[in-house]
Amino acid sequence: MGHFTSLYSGSSGNCSVVQDESGFLLLDMGKSCRTTLQGMQHLGLEVAKLQGILVTHEHRDHVQGLKVFLKHYPVPVFGQAQTLERLLELELVPPATELVALRENRNYAIGNFGVQSFATSHDVPCCGYRIHTQNGRSMAMATDLGTITPVVDSALQGADLVALEANYDKNCLQMGSYPYPLKRRIMSHQGHLDNEDCAAKVRQLVQEGCKRFALCHLSRENNTPDLARATVEEAILSSGIRPEGDLKIQTQKRDEPSPWMEF
């Protein structure tokens, strides 16, 4: 079995964990090294078992803690070539960091995990990840995407667990205090995924057999965990699906580790 959770998840910072019996991977590190280590300690994760860090893109809420962490714990960092180049250019990682560029939709062995990256639609080069455990289980994570492209759709199909962005509620965003250009960016196809689009995708995946969902990267200002979850559940019920007892939909906590999800 594999396990997934996040140390923190939201517009203020993101860091997720995929673990199996052999060790674990981190996906992004958008808060301080101290905050990340505290989250790892809370979950009983030993740094010695960290097999690498997967980076989705260059925005600070995904990479802010890398530089200090890697000075103390030098592990390989994986991501798209353009993203890794930007990390060096912006001095967000130590110069001696082992950076490994992943080509999209190719299989890579990272520790005992199999990893594939796939492009997501954002305003900088950005990717999601599909991760396979030794015993044949798989999960996929897609955040920071304004729309679900055919590439993303394909990457999510058949996964045992899907971690998907539910960044904002349209009404909250439109009625909120953000300036119009920022609202337009968020709602664009290179922005973020709203609750309704997330819910529509989850409904489809439930129909295809997936039963584990983590709702990620919720906006503090334009969403709430209850609203995101209710939107997803309503979409499932309105389609005539009667969820079985083993269906699990979990909103990831903003400032602390979320409960483990088994897949």
Side-chain angles (χ1 to χ4, degrees):
M1 287 291 179
H3 294 85
F4 171 86
T5 191
S6 57
L7 302 183
Y8 42 84
S9 177
S11 297
S12 57
N14 298 274
C15 182
S16 297
V17 186
V18 178
Q19 180 189 47
D20 72 359
E21 295 80 3
S22 64
F24 67 98
L25 300 171
L26 291 180
L27 292 86
D28 292 328
M29 191 179 294
K31 291 188 178 181
S32 70
C33 173
R34 176 179 295 181
T35 298
T36 303
L37 289 172
Q38 288 173 343
M40 290 170 58
Q41 183 178 20
H42 178 85
L43 294 174
L45 296 169
E46 301 176 22
V47 179
K49 293 186 177 180
L50 175 59
Q51 298 178 345
I53 301 173
L54 307 177
V55 175
T56 59
H57 65 297
E58 68 197 55
H59 286 161
R60 294 193 67 84
D61 60 322
H62 293 260
V63 300
Q64 183 173 311
L66 284 176
K67 188 170 185 178
V68 174
F69 184 91
L70 292 167
K71 283 181 179 178
H72 296 285
Y73 309 102
V75 297
V77 175
F78 303 84
Q80 292 181 318
Q82 290 174 284
T83 297
L84 301 181
E85 290 168 5
R86 286 290 287 168
L87 295 184
L88 283 174
E89 180 183 339
L90 298 171
E91 299 183 350
L92 294 172
V93 295
T97 301
E98 181 183 355
L99 301 175
V100 183
L102 304 181
R103 299 184 66 176
E104 293 173 10
N105 304 314
R106 293 203 176 185
N107 295 314
Y108 293 87
I110 301 177
N112 290 310
F113 296 94
V115 176
Q116 296 171 307
S117 69
F118 55 92
T120 59
S121 180
H122 203 41
D123 55 4
V124 297
C126 187
C127 69
Y129 290 99
R130 182 156 176 148
I131 300 171
H132 301 264
T133 65
Q134 293 183 87
N135 61 1
R137 307 295 285 179
S138 66
M139 64 81 57
M141 188 177 87
T143 65
D144 295 77
L145 67 168
T147 186
I148 296 179
T149 63
V151 169
V152 173
D153 185 67
S154 177
L156 302 184
Q157 287 180 1
D160 298 296
L161 180 148
V162 171
L164 186 60
E165 177 172 73
N167 180 255
Y168 68 96
D169 172 79
K170 286 180 181 177
N171 290 330
C172 289
L173 178 62
Q174 290 170 347
M175 300 297 292
S177 61
Y178 280 9
Y180 177 70
L182 178 56
K183 292 180 181 180
R184 186 171 60 183
R185 170 190 171 268
I186 291 170
M187 292 188 291
S188 76
H189 278 189
Q190 292 185 313
H192 289 279
L193 205 65
D194 73 357
N195 289 347
E196 291 182 1
D197 288 339
C198 173
K201 187 58 191 173
V202 170
R203 178 180 60 206
Q204 177 189 341
L205 291 168
V206 170
Q207 292 171 326
E208 294 172 356
C210 186
K211 296 182 179 180
R212 296 286 184 273
F213 299 94
L215 309 184
C216 303
H217 208 309
L218 276 66
S219 168
R220 185 192 302 272
E221 294 79 9
N222 303 306
N223 210 356
T224 68
D226 287 345
L227 186 53
R229 181 183 174 91
T231 304
V232 171
E233 291 178 342
E234 182 179 349
I236 293 171
L237 292 171
S238 66
S239 66
I241 300 171
R242 292 295 173 260
E244 300 176 8
D246 55 350
L247 176 64
K248 185 169 185 179
I249 301 168
Q250 177 175 289
T251 54
Q252 301 304 101
K253 296 182 179 181
R254 174 177 300 280
D255 297 314
E256 60 184 288
S258 297
W260 285 107
M261 298 182 72
E262 185 178 278
F263 67 92

